[in-house]
Amino acid sequence: MGGLMFLLALSLSSVVIIQTSEGQICLPKKHASLFVFGDSLFDIGNNNYINTTTPFQANYPPYGITLFKYPSGRFSDGRMIPDVIAELAKLPLLPPYLHPGNPDFTYGVNFASGGSGALLQTAQGSVIDLHTQVKYFKNVKKILREKIGNEEVEALLKRSVYFLNVGSNDYGGLLNVANSTVSLLPVDKQQFVGFVIGNLTNAIKEIYEQGGRKFGFLNVGPIGCSPVIRAQNNGSKCFDEISAVARLHNIQLSKMILKLKKQLNGFKYSVHDFYASLSPVIKNPSKYGFKGGSGGCCGSGPLRGFDACGGNKGIKEYELCDNPNDYIFFDARHFTDKASQYFAHLIWDANYTLNKPYNLNTLFQLSSQ
């Protein structure tokens, strides 16, 4: 009996018990939530609940076939990167913010929306842009304040991590496709990147003003090597002109974050070099346990790179590979469950080469004071 009482006392010492109008809520003393912002690489189902069109949704088969066994709204056969990150952080599977079942936001929430970007004009009217995602976060703070009180909310938000992936769709809007030939629109690339970075900066500052202190970022990957762009370019090699814009973004992103570090007291961050981690996997997939690096598992046309997975996006006929685990990409743009696991683990605990100034695991452990 004495041993049982000791274990009970020990377990109670590791939690904070908060009295609310609805009863008691127990939270781990150093519990840190995870708040996720971004596009379809992070969307876990928010686009299921907005007035949009099928190309911006993944709520139909064969999406979800590997893990969930049903189409949850994730653009994958299984998990997305934030799902795996939550698991590594010992958090429950986060809910999409717009889920109608009154989800619990205590451990965090996912605001990401497939097709969205930092710019309001990116797929405007069909997605949840970054600015609106931040507005939703402010609403979550109000809900949490009512649930656990202002003092605990402020402490929780300072301990928590804000995980962002934005930009690819903004730059995808620069593509001009005609007769299976891809080119870029004639715009000032540096200036355009500046607009994207400016909007992202404003979003970060808004989250900071609400109490956020620890931020995790993915820079933009080699988007010119995605199956959808290669297929539109006659299935040829990577379209480097658009990947060059991604590299411009990544340079400006690093400079912007260093400025914020100097301006914002207590601002801490981790930047994963997604360009550097994805590029070698595409070039040499077998080295990383994949058989297909350039094409998708589900789609049509060259490399299965036409965005036809599920037959609901204008092209009814599509092919589905036998084993998604053989592939990096599940469809024309998005990762398989296996690939999401691979990249999430790099984001979580890879060294300084890919994560600067430290990885996401370390960011979770850092004090927010």
Side-chain angles (χ1 to χ4, degrees):
M1 183 69 177
L4 178 61
M5 292 301 293
F6 171 77
L7 289 174
L8 179 60
L10 181 63
S11 64
L12 289 176
S13 68
S14 63
V15 301
V16 176
I17 300 177
I18 301 170
Q19 186 69 41
T20 73
S21 59
E22 300 176 354
Q24 291 182 341
I25 297 175
C26 297
L27 296 176
K29 278 189 174 179
K30 292 188 178 180
H31 156 61
S33 300
L34 176 64
F35 296 96
V36 178
F37 305 80
D39 56 27
S40 56
L41 288 185
F42 280 14
D43 186 358
I44 60 171
N46 279 305
N47 279 14
N48 291 351
Y49 310 107
I50 64 175
N51 183 21
T52 188
T53 56
T54 304
F56 295 101
Q57 294 179 314
N59 55 357
Y60 46 87
Y63 290 107
I65 58 171
T66 298
L67 188 68
F68 298 101
K69 307 302 181 184
Y70 71 95
S72 65
R74 292 167 171 83
F75 294 81
S76 174
D77 61 302
R79 289 165 292 186
M80 311 300 286
I81 288 173
D83 294 319
V84 184
I85 292 295
E87 180 182 336
L88 292 170
K90 295 181 171 56
L91 296 170
L93 202 64
L94 300 181
Y97 171 75
L98 293 179
H99 193 286
N102 192 27
D104 180 10
F105 299 138
T106 305
Y107 289 94
V109 61
N110 187 312
F111 305 100
S113 171
S116 68
L119 303 177
L120 293 174
Q121 297 87 349
T122 300
Q124 190 170 17
S126 297
V127 301
I128 310 165
D129 62 81
L130 182 60
H131 176 71
T132 302
Q133 291 180 35
V134 174
K135 285 176 59 178
Y136 288 163
F137 168 65
K138 294 177 181 179
N139 188 50
V140 165
K141 181 178 180 180
K142 293 178 183 177
I143 294 171
L144 287 173
R145 184 186 292 123
E146 294 173 359
K147 188 172 184 179
I148 63 177
N150 188 63
E151 184 176 342
E152 181 60 27
V153 165
E154 295 298 332
L156 176 63
L157 295 185
K158 285 186 177 180
R159 293 194 302 269
S160 297
V161 170
Y162 304 83
F163 192 31
L164 298 94
N165 172 54
V166 179
S168 295
N169 292 317
D170 296 305
Y171 303 123
L174 296 177
L175 290 170
N176 181 33
V177 182
N179 299 321
S180 297
T181 301
V182 181
S183 61
L184 290 182
L185 297 175
V187 299
D188 185 322
K189 309 302 187 298
Q190 286 279 8
Q191 185 181 56
F192 191 88
V193 170
F195 292 146
V196 174
I197 294 294
N199 279 22
L200 177 56
T201 304
N202 291 338
I204 295 167
K205 288 182 175 179
E206 285 191 70
I207 295 170
Y208 179 89
E209 289 172 0
Q210 296 300 312
R213 294 296 181 270
K214 299 191 290 186
F215 293 80
F217 302 96
L218 263 63
N219 69 17
V220 175
I223 48 181
C225 292
S226 63
V228 66
I229 293 180
R230 296 175 75 162
Q232 290 172 338
N233 203 26
N234 285 317
S236 64
K237 63 182 181 180
C238 299
F239 181 59
D240 190 62
E241 285 85 347
I242 189 67
S243 292
V245 179
R247 294 193 293 271
L248 287 176
H249 170 96
N250 297 341
I251 292 170
Q252 290 202 30
L253 175 68
S254 296
K255 291 179 179 179
M256 176 267 285
I257 292 173
L258 287 174
K259 286 183 180 179
L260 290 181
K261 173 69 175 174
K262 296 177 181 178
Q263 295 172 359
L264 305 178
N265 184 42
F267 178 83
K268 296 179 174 66
Y269 66 92
S270 171
V271 180
H272 177 75
D273 191 347
F274 197 40
Y275 197 103
S277 64
L278 177 55
S279 295
V281 184
I282 292 176
K283 291 177 182 177
N284 191 6
S286 60
K287 181 179 178 181
Y288 301 91
F290 300 96
K291 294 180 181 179
S294 58
C297 167
C298 182
S300 66
L303 306 174
R304 295 195 188 106
F306 290 159
D307 201 4
C309 187
N312 292 332
K313 302 176 182 179
I315 304 175
K316 291 186 177 181
E317 298 297 325
Y318 68 94
E319 299 175 359
L320 180 65
C321 71
D322 293 330
N323 183 9
N325 286 335
D326 288 341
Y327 288 79
I328 300 167
F329 295 97
F330 181 65
D331 64 11
R333 315 165 187 268
H334 310 103
F335 299 128
T336 58
D337 181 271
K338 181 180 176 181
S340 289
Q341 289 186 66
Y342 172 75
F343 292 115
H345 277 84
L346 290 182
I347 295 163
W348 183 252
D349 58 14
N351 62 22
Y352 178 79
T353 303
L354 291 177
N355 298 295
K356 298 180 181 180
Y358 26 65
N359 55 43
L360 206 61
N361 183 16
T362 302
L363 187 67
F364 263 93
Q365 307 308 318
L366 287 175
S367 169
S368 60
Q369 303 303 317

